[in-house]
Coordinates of all heavy atoms in Angstrom, one line a residue:
M1 N -1.0 -11.9 -38.7 CA -1.3 -13.0 -39.4 C -0.3 -14.1 -38.9 O 0.9 -13.9 -38.6 CB -1.1 -12.8 -40.9 CG -1.8 -13.7 -41.8 SD -1.9 -13.1 -43.5 CE -3.7 -12.7 -43.5
T2 N -0.8 -15.4 -38.9 CA 0.0 -16.5 -38.4 C 0.3 -17.5 -39.5 O -0.6 -17.6 -40.5 CB -0.8 -17.3 -37.3 OG1 -2.0 -17.7 -37.8 CG2 -1.0 -16.3 -36.1
T3 N 1.4 -18.2 -39.4 CA 1.9 -19.1 -40.5 C 2.1 -20.5 -39.8 O 2.5 -20.6 -38.7 CB 3.0 -18.6 -41.3 OG1 4.3 -18.6 -40.4 CG2 2.9 -17.3 -41.9
F4 N 2.0 -21.5 -40.7 CA 2.3 -22.8 -40.2 C 3.1 -23.5 -41.4 O 2.6 -23.4 -42.5 CB 1.0 -23.6 -39.8 CG 1.3 -25.1 -39.4 CD1 1.7 -25.2 -38.0 CD2 1.4 -26.2 -40.1 CE1 1.9 -26.5 -37.5 CE2 1.7 -27.4 -39.7 CZ 1.9 -27.6 -38.4
H5 N 4.2 -24.1 -41.1 CA 4.9 -24.7 -42.1 C 4.7 -26.2 -42.2 O 4.9 -26.8 -41.1 CB 6.4 -24.4 -41.9 CG 6.7 -23.0 -42.0 ND1 7.4 -22.5 -43.1 CD2 6.6 -22.0 -41.2 CE1 7.6 -21.2 -43.0 NE2 7.1 -20.9 -41.9
V6 N 4.3 -26.7 -43.4 CA 4.1 -28.2 -43.6 C 5.4 -28.6 -44.3 O 5.6 -28.2 -45.5 CB 2.8 -28.4 -44.3 CG1 2.6 -29.9 -44.6 CG2 1.6 -27.8 -43.7
L7 N 6.1 -29.5 -43.9 CA 7.3 -30.1 -44.5 C 6.8 -31.3 -45.3 O 6.1 -32.1 -44.8 CB 8.4 -30.4 -43.5 CG 8.9 -29.3 -42.7 CD1 9.9 -29.7 -41.7 CD2 9.5 -28.2 -43.6
N8 N 7.6 -31.4 -46.4 CA 7.2 -32.5 -47.4 C 8.5 -32.8 -48.2 O 8.7 -32.3 -49.1 CB 6.0 -32.0 -48.4 CG 5.5 -33.2 -49.2 OD1 5.1 -34.3 -48.6 ND2 5.6 -33.2 -50.4
G9 N 9.2 -33.8 -47.6 CA 10.4 -34.1 -48.5 C 11.6 -34.4 -47.6 O 11.5 -35.3 -46.8
Y10 N 12.7 -33.7 -47.7 CA 13.9 -34.1 -47.1 C 14.4 -33.1 -45.9 O 13.8 -32.1 -45.9 CB 14.9 -34.3 -48.1 CG 15.5 -33.1 -48.9 CD1 16.7 -32.7 -48.9 CD2 14.5 -32.3 -49.6 CE1 17.3 -31.6 -49.4 CE2 15.0 -31.1 -50.2 CZ 16.3 -30.8 -50.3 OH 16.9 -29.7 -50.9
A11 N 15.5 -33.4 -45.5 CA 16.0 -32.6 -44.3 C 16.3 -31.1 -44.5 O 16.1 -30.3 -43.7 CB 17.2 -33.2 -43.5
A12 N 16.7 -30.9 -45.7 CA 17.1 -29.5 -46.1 C 15.9 -28.6 -46.0 O 15.9 -27.4 -45.8 CB 17.8 -29.4 -47.5
N13 N 14.7 -29.2 -46.4 CA 13.5 -28.5 -46.3 C 13.3 -27.8 -44.8 O 12.6 -26.8 -44.7 CB 12.2 -29.3 -46.6 CG 12.1 -29.5 -48.0 OD1 12.9 -29.0 -48.8 ND2 11.0 -30.1 -48.5
L14 N 13.7 -28.5 -43.8 CA 13.6 -28.0 -42.5 C 14.4 -26.8 -42.3 O 14.0 -25.7 -41.7 CB 13.9 -29.1 -41.4 CG 14.1 -28.6 -39.9 CD1 12.8 -28.2 -39.4 CD2 14.7 -29.7 -39.0
A15 N 15.7 -26.8 -42.8 CA 16.5 -25.6 -42.8 C 15.9 -24.5 -43.6 O 15.8 -23.2 -43.1 CB 17.9 -25.9 -43.3
H16 N 15.3 -24.7 -44.6 CA 14.6 -23.8 -45.5 C 13.4 -23.1 -44.9 O 13.2 -21.9 -44.9 CB 14.3 -24.2 -46.8 CG 15.3 -24.8 -47.7 ND1 15.2 -25.8 -48.6 CD2 16.7 -24.4 -47.8 CE1 16.4 -25.9 -49.2 NE2 17.3 -25.1 -48.7
S17 N 12.6 -24.0 -44.2 CA 11.5 -23.6 -43.5 C 11.9 -22.7 -42.3 O 11.2 -21.7 -41.9 CB 10.6 -24.7 -43.0 OG 10.1 -25.4 -44.1
E18 N 13.0 -23.0 -41.7 CA 13.4 -22.2 -40.5 C 13.9 -20.9 -40.9 O 13.7 -19.9 -40.3 CB 14.5 -22.9 -39.7 CG 14.0 -24.1 -38.9 CD 15.2 -24.9 -38.3 OE1 16.3 -24.6 -38.7 OE2 14.8 -25.8 -37.6
Q19 N 14.5 -20.8 -42.1 CA 14.9 -19.6 -42.6 C 13.7 -18.5 -43.0 O 13.6 -17.4 -42.8 CB 15.7 -19.6 -44.0 CG 17.1 -20.1 -43.7 CD 17.9 -20.5 -45.0 OE1 17.3 -20.7 -46.1 NE2 19.3 -20.5 -44.8
M20 N 12.7 -19.3 -43.7 CA 11.5 -18.5 -44.0 C 10.7 -18.1 -42.7 O 10.2 -17.0 -42.6 CB 10.5 -19.5 -44.7 CG 10.9 -19.7 -46.2 SD 9.6 -20.6 -47.2 CE 10.2 -22.2 -46.9
A21 N 10.7 -18.9 -41.7 CA 10.1 -18.5 -40.4 C 10.7 -17.3 -39.8 O 10.1 -16.4 -39.4 CB 10.1 -19.7 -39.5
G22 N 12.0 -17.3 -39.9 CA 12.8 -16.1 -39.4 C 12.5 -14.9 -40.1 O 12.2 -13.7 -39.6
L23 N 12.4 -14.9 -41.5 CA 12.0 -13.8 -42.2 C 10.6 -13.4 -42.0 O 10.3 -12.1 -41.9 CB 12.3 -14.1 -43.7 CG 13.8 -14.2 -44.2 CD1 13.8 -14.9 -45.6 CD2 14.5 -13.1 -44.1
L24 N 9.7 -14.2 -41.9 CA 8.3 -13.9 -41.6 C 8.1 -13.4 -40.3 O 7.4 -12.4 -40.1 CB 7.5 -15.2 -41.8 CG 7.2 -15.7 -43.3 CD1 6.6 -17.0 -43.3 CD2 6.4 -14.7 -43.9
T25 N 8.9 -13.8 -39.3 CA 8.8 -13.2 -37.9 C 9.4 -11.8 -37.9 O 8.7 -10.9 -37.3 CB 9.6 -14.1 -36.9 OG1 9.1 -15.4 -36.9 CG2 9.7 -13.5 -35.5
E26 N 10.4 -11.6 -38.7 CA 10.9 -10.2 -38.9 C 9.9 -9.2 -39.5 O 9.8 -8.1 -39.3 CB 12.2 -10.1 -39.8 CG 13.4 -10.6 -38.9 CD 14.6 -10.6 -39.8 OE1 14.7 -10.0 -40.9 OE2 15.6 -11.4 -39.6
A27 N 9.1 -9.9 -40.3 CA 8.1 -9.0 -41.1 C 6.7 -9.0 -40.2 O 5.7 -8.7 -40.7 CB 7.7 -9.7 -42.4
K28 N 6.8 -9.5 -38.9 CA 5.7 -9.3 -38.0 C 4.7 -10.4 -38.1 O 3.5 -10.1 -37.7 CB 5.0 -7.9 -38.1 CG 5.9 -6.8 -37.8 CD 6.7 -6.7 -36.5 CE 7.6 -5.6 -36.3 NZ 8.7 -5.8 -35.6
F29 N 4.9 -11.5 -38.8 CA 4.1 -12.7 -38.8 C 4.4 -13.4 -37.5 O 5.5 -13.4 -37.0 CB 4.3 -13.6 -40.0 CG 3.8 -13.0 -41.2 CD1 4.5 -12.0 -42.0 CD2 2.7 -13.6 -41.9 CE1 4.0 -11.6 -43.2 CE2 2.1 -13.2 -43.0 CZ 2.8 -12.0 -43.7
S30 N 3.5 -14.3 -37.0 CA 3.7 -15.1 -35.9 C 3.6 -16.5 -36.4 O 2.9 -16.9 -37.4 CB 2.9 -14.8 -34.7 OG 1.5 -14.8 -35.2
L31 N 4.1 -17.4 -35.7 CA 4.2 -18.9 -36.0 C 3.1 -19.5 -35.3 O 3.1 -19.5 -34.0 CB 5.5 -19.5 -35.7 CG 6.7 -18.8 -36.6 CD1 8.0 -19.5 -36.1 CD2 6.5 -18.9 -38.1
A32 N 2.1 -20.2 -35.9 CA 1.2 -21.1 -35.3 C 1.7 -22.3 -34.9 O 2.5 -22.8 -35.6 CB 0.0 -21.2 -36.3
E33 N 1.2 -23.0 -33.9 CA 1.6 -24.3 -33.4 C 0.8 -25.4 -34.2 O 1.3 -26.5 -34.2 CB 1.5 -24.4 -31.8 CG 2.4 -23.5 -31.3 CD 2.5 -23.9 -29.8 OE1 2.2 -25.0 -29.3 OE2 2.8 -22.9 -29.0
T34 N -0.4 -25.1 -34.7 CA -1.1 -26.1 -35.5 C -1.6 -25.4 -36.8 O -1.7 -24.3 -36.8 CB -2.3 -26.5 -34.6 OG1 -3.2 -25.3 -34.5 CG2 -1.9 -27.0 -33.3
I35 N -2.0 -26.3 -37.6 CA -2.7 -25.9 -38.9 C -4.0 -25.0 -38.7 O -4.3 -24.0 -39.3 CB -3.0 -27.1 -39.9 CG1 -1.6 -27.7 -40.3 CG2 -3.8 -26.8 -40.9 CD1 -1.7 -28.9 -41.2
E36 N -4.7 -25.5 -37.6 CA -5.9 -25.0 -37.3 C -5.8 -23.4 -36.8 O -6.6 -22.6 -37.1 CB -6.7 -25.7 -36.2 CG -7.3 -27.0 -36.7 CD -6.2 -28.2 -36.9 OE1 -5.1 -28.1 -36.3 OE2 -6.5 -29.1 -37.7
D37 N -4.6 -23.1 -36.2 CA -4.5 -21.9 -35.6 C -3.8 -20.8 -36.7 O -3.7 -19.7 -36.4 CB -3.4 -21.9 -34.4 CG -4.1 -22.6 -33.2 OD1 -5.3 -22.7 -33.2 OD2 -3.3 -23.2 -32.4
A38 N -3.5 -21.4 -37.8 CA -2.7 -20.6 -38.8 C -3.7 -19.9 -39.9 O -4.8 -20.4 -40.1 CB -1.7 -21.5 -39.5
D39 N -3.2 -18.9 -40.4 CA -4.0 -18.1 -41.4 C -3.3 -18.5 -42.8 O -4.2 -18.5 -43.7 CB -3.9 -16.6 -41.2 CG -4.5 -16.1 -40.0 OD1 -5.5 -16.3 -39.7 OD2 -3.7 -15.3 -39.2
V40 N -2.1 -18.8 -42.7 CA -1.3 -19.1 -43.9 C -0.7 -20.5 -43.8 O 0.0 -20.6 -42.7 CB -0.3 -17.9 -44.2 CG1 0.5 -18.4 -45.5 CG2 -1.0 -16.6 -44.4
L41 N -0.8 -21.4 -44.7 CA 0.0 -22.6 -44.7 C 1.0 -22.6 -45.8 O 0.8 -22.2 -46.8 CB -1.0 -23.7 -45.0 CG -2.2 -23.9 -44.1 CD1 -3.1 -25.0 -44.7 CD2 -1.9 -24.0 -42.6
I42 N 2.2 -22.9 -45.3 CA 3.4 -22.8 -46.2 C 3.8 -24.2 -46.3 O 4.3 -24.9 -45.5 CB 4.5 -21.9 -45.7 CG1 4.1 -20.5 -45.5 CG2 5.7 -22.0 -46.6 CD1 4.9 -19.6 -44.9
F43 N 3.7 -24.7 -47.5 CA 4.0 -26.2 -47.9 C 5.3 -26.2 -48.5 O 5.4 -25.8 -49.8 CB 2.8 -26.6 -48.9 CG 2.3 -28.1 -48.5 CD1 1.1 -28.2 -48.1 CD2 3.2 -29.2 -48.7 CE1 0.6 -29.5 -47.9 CE2 2.7 -30.4 -48.5 CZ 1.4 -30.7 -48.1
N44 N 6.3 -26.6 -47.9 CA 7.7 -26.7 -48.4 C 7.9 -28.1 -49.0 O 7.9 -29.1 -48.3 CB 8.8 -26.4 -47.4 CG 10.1 -26.2 -47.9 OD1 10.2 -26.1 -49.1 ND2 11.0 -25.8 -47.0
T45 N 8.0 -28.2 -50.3 CA 8.0 -29.4 -51.0 C 9.4 -29.9 -51.5 O 10.2 -29.2 -51.7 CB 7.0 -29.4 -52.2 OG1 7.6 -28.5 -53.1 CG2 5.7 -29.0 -51.7
C46 N 9.5 -31.3 -51.8 CA 10.6 -31.9 -52.5 C 10.2 -33.0 -53.4 O 9.4 -34.1 -52.9 CB 11.5 -32.3 -51.6 SG 13.0 -33.2 -52.3
T47 N 10.3 -33.0 -54.8 CA 9.9 -34.0 -55.7 C 10.9 -35.2 -55.6 O 10.7 -36.3 -56.0 CB 9.9 -33.5 -57.1 OG1 11.2 -32.9 -57.5 CG2 8.9 -32.5 -57.2
T48 N 12.2 -35.0 -55.1 CA 13.2 -36.0 -55.1 C 12.9 -37.0 -53.9 O 12.9 -38.2 -54.2 CB 14.6 -35.4 -54.7 OG1 14.8 -34.4 -55.7 CG2 15.6 -36.5 -54.9
K49 N 12.4 -36.6 -52.8 CA 12.3 -37.5 -51.7 C 10.8 -37.8 -51.4 O 10.6 -38.8 -50.6 CB 12.8 -36.9 -50.5 CG 14.3 -36.7 -50.4 CD 15.1 -37.8 -50.3 CE 16.6 -37.5 -50.4 NZ 17.5 -38.7 -50.3
N50 N 9.9 -37.2 -52.1 CA 8.5 -37.5 -51.7 C 7.7 -37.6 -53.1 O 7.8 -36.7 -53.9 CB 7.9 -36.5 -50.8 CG 6.7 -37.0 -50.1 OD1 6.1 -38.0 -50.5 ND2 6.5 -36.4 -48.8
P51 N 7.0 -38.7 -53.4 CA 6.2 -38.8 -54.5 C 5.2 -37.7 -54.7 O 4.6 -37.2 -53.8 CB 5.6 -40.2 -54.5 CG 6.3 -40.8 -53.4 CD 6.9 -39.8 -52.5
K52 N 5.0 -37.3 -55.9 CA 4.0 -36.3 -56.3 C 2.6 -36.7 -55.8 O 1.8 -35.9 -55.3 CB 4.0 -35.9 -57.8 CG 5.2 -35.3 -58.3 CD 5.0 -35.0 -59.8 CE 6.3 -34.5 -60.3 NZ 6.2 -34.3 -61.8
N53 N 2.3 -37.9 -55.9 CA 0.8 -38.4 -55.5 C 0.7 -38.2 -54.0 O -0.4 -37.6 -53.6 CB 0.6 -39.9 -55.8 CG 0.5 -40.1 -57.4 OD1 0.3 -39.2 -58.1 ND2 0.7 -41.3 -57.8
D54 N 1.6 -38.4 -53.2 CA 1.5 -38.1 -51.8 C 1.2 -36.6 -51.4 O 0.4 -36.3 -50.8 CB 2.9 -38.5 -51.1 CG 2.7 -39.8 -50.2 OD1 1.7 -40.4 -50.3 OD2 3.7 -40.0 -49.4
F55 N 2.0 -35.8 -52.1 CA 1.9 -34.5 -51.9 C 0.5 -33.9 -52.4 O -0.2 -33.2 -51.8 CB 3.0 -33.8 -52.7 CG 2.8 -32.2 -52.8 CD1 2.9 -31.4 -51.7 CD2 2.3 -31.6 -54.0 CE1 2.6 -30.1 -51.8 CE2 2.1 -30.3 -54.1 CZ 2.3 -29.5 -52.9
S56 N 0.2 -34.4 -53.6 CA -1.2 -34.0 -54.1 C -2.3 -34.5 -53.3 O -3.3 -33.5 -53.2 CB -1.4 -34.6 -55.5 OG -0.4 -34.2 -56.5
E57 N -2.1 -35.5 -52.8 CA -3.3 -36.0 -51.8 C -3.3 -35.2 -50.5 O -4.4 -34.7 -50.1 CB -3.1 -37.4 -51.4 CG -3.4 -38.5 -52.5 CD -3.0 -39.9 -52.3 OE1 -2.7 -40.2 -51.1 OE2 -2.9 -40.7 -53.3
R58 N -2.2 -34.8 -49.9 CA -2.2 -34.0 -48.8 C -2.6 -32.6 -49.0 O -3.4 -32.0 -48.4 CB -0.7 -34.0 -48.2 CG -0.2 -35.2 -47.5 CD 1.2 -35.1 -47.1 NE 1.1 -34.2 -45.9 CZ 2.2 -33.8 -45.3 NH1 3.5 -34.0 -45.8 NH2 2.2 -33.0 -44.2
L59 N -2.3 -32.1 -50.2 CA -2.7 -30.7 -50.6 C -4.1 -30.7 -50.7 O -4.9 -29.8 -50.3 CB -2.0 -30.3 -51.9 CG -2.4 -28.9 -52.3 CD1 -2.1 -27.9 -51.3 CD2 -1.6 -28.7 -53.7
L60 N -4.8 -31.7 -51.4 CA -6.2 -31.8 -51.7 C -7.0 -31.9 -50.3 O -8.0 -31.2 -50.1 CB -6.6 -32.9 -52.7 CG -8.0 -33.0 -53.0 CD1 -8.4 -31.7 -53.7 CD2 -8.2 -34.2 -54.1
K61 N -6.5 -32.6 -49.4 CA -7.1 -32.8 -48.1 C -7.0 -31.5 -47.3 O -8.1 -31.1 -46.8 CB -6.3 -33.9 -47.3 CG -6.9 -34.2 -46.0 CD -6.2 -35.3 -45.3 CE -6.8 -35.5 -43.9 NZ -6.1 -36.4 -43.2
L62 N -5.8 -30.7 -47.4 CA -5.8 -29.5 -46.7 C -6.7 -28.6 -47.3 O -7.4 -27.7 -46.7 CB -4.4 -28.9 -46.9 CG -3.4 -29.5 -45.9 CD1 -2.0 -28.9 -46.2 CD2 -3.8 -29.1 -44.4
K63 N -6.9 -28.5 -48.7 CA -7.8 -27.6 -49.3 C -9.3 -27.8 -48.9 O -10.1 -26.9 -48.6 CB -7.7 -27.6 -50.7 CG -8.6 -26.8 -51.6 CD -8.3 -27.0 -53.2 CE -9.2 -26.1 -53.8 NZ -9.2 -26.3 -55.3
I64 N -9.6 -29.1 -48.7 CA -11.0 -29.5 -48.3 C -11.3 -29.2 -47.0 O -12.2 -28.6 -46.6 CB -11.2 -31.0 -48.6 CG1 -11.3 -31.2 -50.1 CG2 -12.6 -31.5 -48.0 CD1 -11.3 -32.8 -50.6
E65 N -10.4 -29.5 -46.0 CA -10.5 -29.3 -44.6 C -10.4 -27.8 -44.2 O -11.0 -27.4 -43.3 CB -9.4 -30.1 -43.8 CG -9.6 -31.6 -43.9 CD -8.6 -32.4 -43.2 OE1 -7.6 -31.9 -42.7 OE2 -8.7 -33.6 -43.2
H66 N -9.5 -27.1 -45.0 CA -9.3 -25.6 -44.6 C -9.5 -24.7 -45.8 O -8.4 -24.1 -46.3 CB -7.9 -25.5 -44.0 CG -7.7 -26.4 -42.9 ND1 -8.1 -26.2 -41.6 CD2 -6.9 -27.5 -42.9 CE1 -7.8 -27.2 -40.8 NE2 -7.1 -28.1 -41.5
P67 N -10.6 -24.6 -46.4 CA -10.8 -23.9 -47.6 C -10.5 -22.5 -47.7 O -10.4 -21.9 -48.7 CB -12.4 -24.2 -48.0 CG -13.0 -24.5 -46.6 CD -12.0 -25.1 -45.8
Y68 N -10.6 -21.9 -46.4 CA -10.3 -20.4 -46.4 C -8.9 -20.0 -46.0 O -8.7 -18.8 -45.8 CB -11.4 -19.7 -45.4 CG -12.7 -20.0 -45.9 CD1 -13.6 -21.0 -45.3 CD2 -13.2 -19.3 -47.0 CE1 -14.8 -21.2 -45.8 CE2 -14.5 -19.6 -47.5 CZ -15.3 -20.6 -46.8 OH -16.6 -20.8 -47.4
K69 N -8.0 -20.9 -45.9 CA -6.6 -20.7 -45.5 C -5.9 -20.3 -46.7 O -6.2 -20.8 -47.9 CB -6.1 -21.8 -44.8 CG -6.7 -22.1 -43.4 CD -5.7 -22.8 -42.5 CE -6.5 -23.1 -41.3 NZ -6.6 -22.0 -40.3
I70 N -4.9 -19.4 -46.6 CA -4.0 -19.2 -47.8 C -3.0 -20.2 -47.8 O -2.5 -20.6 -46.7 CB -3.3 -17.8 -47.5 CG1 -4.4 -16.6 -47.4 CG2 -2.3 -17.4 -48.6 CD1 -3.8 -15.4 -47.0
V71 N -2.7 -20.9 -49.0 CA -1.8 -21.8 -49.1 C -0.7 -21.4 -50.0 O -0.8 -20.9 -51.1 CB -2.4 -23.1 -49.7 CG1 -1.3 -24.2 -50.0 CG2 -3.4 -23.6 -48.9
I72 N 0.7 -21.5 -49.6 CA 1.8 -21.1 -50.2 C 2.6 -22.3 -50.5 O 3.0 -23.0 -49.5 CB 2.7 -20.0 -49.5 CG1 1.8 -18.8 -49.4 CG2 3.9 -19.7 -50.3 CD1 2.4 -17.6 -48.6
I73 N 3.0 -22.6 -51.8 CA 3.8 -23.8 -52.0 C 5.2 -23.3 -52.4 O 5.3 -22.5 -53.3 CB 3.1 -24.7 -53.1 CG1 1.8 -25.0 -52.6 CG2 3.9 -25.9 -53.5 CD1 0.9 -25.7 -53.6
T74 N 6.2 -23.9 -51.7 CA 7.6 -23.5 -52.1 C 8.4 -24.9 -52.4 O 7.8 -25.9 -52.2 CB 8.2 -22.9 -50.9 OG1 8.3 -23.8 -49.7 CG2 7.5 -21.6 -50.5
G75 N 9.6 -24.6 -52.7 CA 10.4 -25.8 -52.8 C 10.3 -26.3 -54.4 O 9.6 -25.6 -55.2
C76 N 10.9 -27.5 -54.6 CA 11.0 -27.9 -56.1 C 9.7 -28.2 -56.8 O 9.6 -28.1 -57.9 CB 12.1 -29.0 -56.2 SG 11.8 -30.3 -55.2
M77 N 8.8 -28.8 -55.9 CA 7.6 -29.1 -56.6 C 6.8 -27.9 -57.2 O 6.2 -28.0 -58.2 CB 6.6 -29.7 -55.5 CG 5.2 -30.1 -55.9 SD 5.2 -31.7 -56.8 CE 5.4 -32.7 -55.5
A78 N 6.9 -26.7 -56.6 CA 6.4 -25.6 -57.2 C 7.0 -25.2 -58.4 O 6.4 -24.4 -59.2 CB 6.5 -24.4 -56.1
Q79 N 8.1 -25.5 -58.7 CA 8.9 -25.3 -60.0 C 8.6 -26.3 -61.0 O 8.6 -25.9 -62.1 CB 10.4 -25.2 -59.6 CG 10.7 -23.9 -58.7 CD 12.1 -23.9 -58.3 OE1 12.9 -24.7 -58.7 NE2 12.5 -23.0 -57.4
V80 N 8.6 -27.5 -60.5 CA 8.5 -28.7 -61.6 C 7.1 -28.8 -62.2 O 7.0 -29.0 -63.2 CB 8.9 -29.9 -60.7 CG1 8.7 -31.2 -61.6 CG2 10.4 -29.9 -60.4
D81 N 6.1 -28.6 -61.3 CA 4.7 -29.1 -61.8 C 3.8 -28.0 -61.6 O 2.7 -28.2 -60.9 CB 4.3 -30.3 -61.1 CG 3.4 -31.3 -62.0 OD1 2.9 -30.7 -63.0 OD2 3.0 -32.4 -61.5
K82 N 3.9 -26.8 -62.0 CA 3.1 -25.6 -61.9 C 1.7 -25.8 -62.3 O 0.7 -25.4 -61.6 CB 3.7 -24.4 -62.5 CG 5.0 -23.9 -62.0 CD 5.5 -22.8 -62.9 CE 7.0 -22.5 -62.4 NZ 7.6 -21.4 -63.2
Q83 N 1.5 -26.4 -63.5 CA 0.2 -26.6 -64.0 C -0.7 -27.6 -63.1 O -1.9 -27.3 -62.8 CB 0.2 -27.2 -65.3 CG -1.2 -27.2 -66.1 CD -1.9 -25.8 -66.1 OE1 -1.2 -24.8 -66.4 NE2 -3.1 -25.8 -65.8
K84 N -0.1 -28.6 -62.7 CA -0.8 -29.6 -61.7 C -1.2 -28.9 -60.4 O -2.3 -29.0 -59.8 CB 0.0 -30.8 -61.3 CG -0.6 -31.9 -60.7 CD -1.7 -32.5 -61.7 CE -2.1 -33.8 -61.1 NZ -3.2 -34.5 -61.8
L85 N -0.3 -28.1 -59.9 CA -0.6 -27.3 -58.7 C -1.8 -26.3 -58.9 O -2.6 -26.1 -57.9 CB 0.6 -26.6 -58.2 CG 1.7 -27.5 -57.6 CD1 2.9 -26.6 -57.4 CD2 1.3 -28.3 -56.4
K86 N -1.8 -25.6 -60.0 CA -2.9 -24.8 -60.3 C -4.2 -25.5 -60.4 O -5.2 -24.9 -59.8 CB -2.6 -24.0 -61.7 CG -1.5 -22.9 -61.6 CD -1.4 -22.3 -62.9 CE -0.2 -21.3 -62.9 NZ -0.1 -20.7 -64.2
E87 N -4.3 -26.6 -60.8 CA -5.5 -27.5 -60.8 C -6.0 -27.8 -59.5 O -7.2 -27.7 -59.2 CB -5.2 -28.8 -61.6 CG -5.1 -28.5 -63.2 CD -4.5 -29.9 -63.8 OE1 -4.7 -30.9 -63.2 OE2 -4.0 -29.9 -64.9
Y88 N -5.0 -28.1 -58.5 CA -5.5 -28.4 -57.2 C -5.9 -27.1 -56.3 O -6.7 -27.2 -55.6 CB -4.3 -29.1 -56.5 CG -4.3 -30.5 -56.7 CD1 -3.3 -31.0 -57.7 CD2 -5.1 -31.4 -56.1 CE1 -3.2 -32.4 -58.0 CE2 -5.0 -32.7 -56.4 CZ -4.1 -33.2 -57.3 OH -4.1 -34.6 -57.7
L89 N -5.2 -26.0 -56.8 CA -5.6 -24.8 -56.0 C -6.7 -24.0 -56.5 O -7.2 -23.0 -55.8 CB -4.3 -24.0 -55.8 CG -3.3 -24.6 -55.1 CD1 -1.9 -23.8 -55.1 CD2 -3.6 -24.9 -53.6
D90 N -7.1 -24.4 -57.8 CA -8.4 -23.6 -58.2 C -9.7 -24.0 -57.7 O -9.8 -25.0 -57.2 CB -8.3 -23.8 -59.8 CG -7.3 -22.8 -60.5 OD1 -6.9 -21.9 -59.8 OD2 -6.9 -23.2 -61.5

């Protein structure tokens, strides 16, 4: 299974995504170079540096363009606005 990391927010998200990528590689996942090549999209978010509307629009666009991909949302957005995220992902 392949993963692609979508960064949304600040520089620390890059470090967090690199850590996740390392753990996923150890678990026999491979990293895709594009969204189209990935089975799983990992959306690493930040509410401090990126407005919620921007994130919601990007998430909705991804859901429409890639309806069969698994989407995992990490970072502070996943903790702050769980109900809103459920609405977008249902």
Side-chain angles (χ1 to χ4, degrees):
M1 199 166 256
T2 58
T3 65
F4 184 84
H5 295 256
V6 181
L7 299 178
N8 189 59
Y10 70 119
N13 280 4
L14 176 60
H16 297 154
S17 289
E18 288 174 349
Q19 288 175 336
M20 284 186 271
L23 292 170
L24 289 166
T25 300
E26 286 178 19
K28 307 298 182 214
F29 284 79
S30 59
L31 302 177
E33 292 190 28
T34 66
I35 288 174
E36 290 75 22
D37 294 336
D39 301 306
V40 179
L41 305 177
I42 299 174
F43 221 115
N44 198 357
T45 65
C46 176
T47 55
T48 306
K49 299 287 184 180
N50 205 332
K52 290 180 187 180
N53 290 343
D54 247 15
F55 169 73
S56 299
E57 289 172 14
R58 287 182 72 193
L59 180 59
L60 187 57
K61 184 178 177 185
L62 280 173
K63 183 180 172 186
I64 291 168
E65 291 176 357
H66 308 283
Y68 299 106
K69 296 200 185 281
I70 298 167
V71 176
I72 298 172
I73 301 169
T74 65
C76 52
M77 180 76 72
Q79 298 170 2
V80 171
D81 209 349
K82 293 177 189 176
Q83 187 57 42
K84 188 70 164 177
L85 292 174
K86 285 181 184 178
E87 291 172 19
Y88 278 100
L89 294 174
D90 285 339

